Amino acid sequence: MKPFLIALAVGLLVGGVYGLLNVRSPAPPYVALLGLLGMLLGEQATQSVRHRLTPPPPAVAVQAQSPDAAR
């Protein structure tokens, strides 16, 4: 949750600076938001494909102890 709040705060700060300097955003808001959405979806898709292509780690055998062996 903290990274989201930091990103929002920085976005508001940059937007405020743009407003004070009378500078227009480099991209129309909808285009910028769609670009960010595409980046997010691409990152998630890449992570999903990597997870599916990576073989699972080998199972670790755990030897069970009998209750008498602990004494």
Side-chain angles (χ1 to χ4, degrees), residues 7-31:
L8 178 62
V10 169
L12 289 171
L13 178 68
V14 170
V17 170
Y18 275 19
L20 290 173
L21 297 175
N22 291 327
V23 175
R24 297 278 306 171
S25 175
Y30 297 117
V31 173

Side-chain angles (χ1 to χ4, degrees), residues 36-58:
L36 289 173
L37 178 63
M39 289 170 57
L40 179 65
L41 293 175
E43 180 183 1
Q44 295 299 316
T46 302
Q47 294 299 325
S48 177
V49 169
R50 281 186 183 165
H51 178 71
R52 291 175 192 256
L53 293 179
T54 303

